[in-house]
Each structure stands twice: as C-alpha cells, then as structure tokens.
C-alpha cells in the first residue's frame, strides 16, 4: 500500500484513489518569464518520482501541469508588475514571445532530467473562459467583492479558510505581512481573482470580461484547469512548500467555495533546495541553472541523482562538492549496470524488488530506495538477477544507467585510442595500455573492459 504524507491532515495516509488504478494528479508548473533554477527542478523531479513510482506500483497516473504565462505578479500579494511584462521589458520581446521561449526552455530542461512529460500540459492563457466562469460561480455564491483595481475573494466568508496552514505558517505570514498592503482589501488574506487593466494603459495580455478588460489573478488558473481536466475533486495536488501559505491555500478556498466539495484529497509538498543556507531563488541572486551545471561538466542526471540523496520533505543543500559526490556515485552505478548489460536475464530478485517498492511506498523514501539499489549492486546475486532488478529500479530512477547510445556515439578520437589500447594489451604492453587509459580518462571517458572488448563511457 502506498503511503503518502498529506500536508492537509499532517499525516501519512494510505493512498485511496477515487478511481483506482487511475490517479489524478495536478502539479503546479513554472511561471515562464525567466529560466528555471535547479531549486525549481527539485520539485519537478520529486513529482516525476511520484508519477514513476505510482506506475511501478500498478497505478495509472494522469498528470496535469499548468504553464503560468499570465497574471503572476512580482509580489505574492497581488501587487507589483506582471512577471510576463517584466520579462518582456527586460528582453525587448513581446510577452507572448517570452512565454513561448521560456516554456520551450523549461520543457528541454525537463527532457534532460528525464522528467516524463505531463499527460496534459495547459497554458493559463488558453483557459481564460473557464477562469471567468469560475469567478462568476464564486460571485453568485457571494464570495466576491470589487475594489478599484479588481475583484477579490472574501476569505472571511469561508469558515475553514487556511486549513492547509499550520500555526507556524500563519505566524510566518503575519510577521511577513506588508504594511503597504492594498487598503481596499477587507482582510489581509483576501486575494485577487481578476485584475482590471489600469486605465490609460494597454497591456500586452488582457481579455474582456463581464467586469471589464483585465487579466486573471494567479491562483484562479490552477483551480479552473484542475477542475477542467481532473474533475471537481481529484486525488493528489503537488508543489513546493512555498505554495502552502498563499497559492495552494487560495486554490482550495476558491475551488471549495465554488463547488462546496473537497478539492484535492492529498496535498504533497517538496522542501527547498538551499544554497548558502537560504532557499535557492531567482530573486536572491544565488541560483544555478541547468545550463550552468552542464557548463561545469555535470550531466543533468547527476543532479537528478543528487535529488535522491535527501527525502523530499527534508531540505537539501546544493554545493558543487556534494554534486561532485553524486556524479561519482551515478558513474559507479552506471558502470555496474553496463557491466551487467550482457548478462542473460534471470528472474528479478524478489527480496530487493520488494525492499525497493517498500521504500517508495513509505512516502517516496528515495534515500532508502537508493540504499537497496546499492545493496543489490554489492550483493553476490547472480548477474542476470541483479540486472533484472536494476532494470526495474531504473524505470523509477531514470538515470540512464543502461543507456548504450553514449558509448556507440563515441568520438572517433576515442575510438582510435581504444583500438591502440587494445593492441597494447594484446602485445602485453600494460604500461602503454595504462597510459592510453589515462589519456582517455582525461578526455572525459571511463574505459570499461567487458566480454565484447573495451568500451569508453562518457563520465
Ligand atoms: P515558480 O516558477 O516560482 O512558481 O516555481 C516553480 C516551482 O518550484 C514551485 O512548485 C515552487 O514551489 C518550486 N520551487 C521554487 N524554489 C524552490 C527551491 N529553492 N527548492 C525547491 N522547490 C522550489
Ligand atoms: Zn498552482
């Protein structure tokens, strides 16, 4: 039985899917006005592990992810500029071009990280009518009031508003409350559902609505699209912990306010990736992109491995040294798998497979799952049984452990060196063979001697 920690009930619960084996999942996607950093990708890797683990355990997940391409203002409190317009001014491109460019960059990074594509990827700007319809439903139920700059949700009208938050969350919100908060709001927690285009200015992204020209508030897109694709109540909703206090709290308020039914049954949140003891964030300046990491000779999959070194509900430090350690571990694991590649397949070893699944079922405990993988590698199991187990684990790990194409696409210079090394070995000139191995190593490849001759595998 899969047990997952539910932020709403603050306990680990058995997964009780509404329509098993199907599992409806909504995962908040990126705001596409800038590059994502590896902190963001920690959350997306966690969600990918959830999807892959569910598949391995016999479920059929249906993952919806949104692309926020409008309406997310620079402050979480409905103030400031629209992030898309900020990106547009910064780069001298239209807001639409910015959205397209960073959506593609995000999807390319996800591919590099072996994150499975969402079953449904939906853009906020493609679903404005659904958002307007949801606001109208809320209006009919008396949850909405109007100020000079937009329509707001009256949080005092919903008795269990804020139920996703613990006392610490509420205190954190209070201490961070901005003095200059919008004076027209009835309560500090009220939030925008629709913002009017400021008079006399032409926004790049704006739509007609029953209340006048404008654009949707940030939270409403997720409620509208989750309901559109997964129904009014669905199984799991995910995101990073920073979304608990405002974004997810407000998604619950507007969805449950409109339908009177529970929105998501289980809420899962991944903890932060830290850099220099603080949350890695675009605003703080201290952040690393996937391209920075590649520029330093790391594979995106070294970072994926790194994400497995901490449980998703624990903070994880990012340093180049720890990433180096993850790179080495992944390389060793890959070497072990490639050695087994030609072994005849034997039935999977039940003990390791069961332990691996148990670790996943225990709230996606990846450090424990990796320990099982290493135990299997070091065990004296027959090669074929090891191989079958590791191939199964790889469907969740997705670290390209058995990927051959890297070796096949070996560069001609390396191929020549390998041949020269083979010659030296045939002549029993091991000093020369060793010298060549070191040269290949310096060029970024590991030499592996197998039954079918030597191969060079990119580090
Ligand atoms: P954003 O584009 O800011 O909405 O962020 C996209 C996703 O990344 C959200 O689910 C955030 O909660 C998550 N996120 C942002 N910063 C971090 C971080 N430092 N570590 C882990 N997740 C993060
Ligand atoms: Zn969302």
């Amino acid at each position: 039985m899969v047990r997952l920690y539910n932020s709403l009930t603050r306990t680990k619960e058995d997964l009780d899917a509404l329509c098993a084996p199907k599992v409806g999942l909504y995962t908040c996607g990126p705001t596409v006005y800038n590059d994502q950093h590896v902190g963001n990708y920690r959350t997306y890797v966690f969600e990918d592990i959830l999807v892959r683990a569910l598949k391995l355990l016999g479920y059929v997940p249906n993952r919806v992810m949104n692309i926020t391409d409008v309406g997310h203002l620079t402050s979480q409190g409905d103030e400031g500029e629209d992030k898309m317009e900020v990106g547009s001014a910064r780069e001298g491109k239209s807001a639409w071009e910015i959205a397209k460019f960073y959506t593609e960059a995000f999807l390319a990074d996800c591919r590099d990280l072996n994150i499975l594509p969402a079953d449904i990827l939906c853009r906020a700007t493609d679903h404005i009518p659904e958002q307007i319809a949801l606001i109208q439903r809320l209006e009919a139920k008396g949850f909405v009031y109007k100020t000079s700059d937009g329509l707001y949700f009256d949080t005092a009208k919903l008795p269990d508003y804020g139920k996703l938050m613990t006392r610490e969350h509420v205190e954190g919100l209070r201490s961070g409350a901005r003095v200059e908060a919008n004076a027209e709001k009835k309560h500090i927690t009220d939030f925008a559902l629709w913002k009017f285009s400021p008079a006399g200015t032409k926004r790049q992204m704006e739509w007609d609505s029953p209340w006048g020209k404008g654009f949707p508030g940030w939270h409403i897109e997720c409620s509208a699209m989750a309901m559109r694709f997964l129904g009014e109540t669905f199984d799991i909703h995910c995101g990073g912990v920073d979304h608990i206090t405002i974004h997810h709290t407000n998604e619950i308020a507007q969805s449950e306010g409109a339908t009177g039914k529970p929105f998501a049954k289980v809420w899962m949140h991944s903890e932060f990736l830290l850099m220099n003891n603080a949350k890695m964030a675009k605003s703080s300046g201290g952040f690393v992109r996937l391209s920075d990491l590649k520029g330093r000779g790391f594979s995106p999959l070294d970072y994926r491995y790194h994400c497995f070194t901490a449980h998703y509900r624990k903070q994880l430090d990012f340093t180049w040294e720890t990433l180096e350690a993850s790179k080495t571990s992944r390389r060793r694991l890959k070497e072990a798998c490639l050695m087994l590649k030609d072994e005849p397949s034997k039935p999977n070893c039940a003990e390791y497979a069961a332990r691996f699944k148990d670790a996943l079922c225990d709230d996606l405990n990846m450090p424990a799952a990796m320990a099982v993988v290493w135990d299997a590698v070091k065990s004296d199991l027959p090669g074929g049984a090891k191989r079958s187990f590791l191939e199964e684990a790889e469907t969740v790990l997705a670290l390209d452990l058995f990927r051959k194409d890297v070796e096949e696409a070996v560069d001609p210079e390396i191929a020549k060196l390998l041949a020269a090394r083979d010659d030296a070995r045939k002549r029993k000139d091991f000093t020369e063979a060793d010298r060549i191995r070191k040269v290949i190593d310096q060029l970024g490849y590991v030499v592996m001697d197998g039954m079918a001759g030597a191969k060079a595998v990119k580090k």
Side-chain angles (χ1 to χ4, degrees), residues 26 28 66 222 237 247-248 251:
Y26 188 89
C28 289
N66 66 304
C222 287
H237 195 311
H247 184 51
H248 289 168
E251 274 190 47

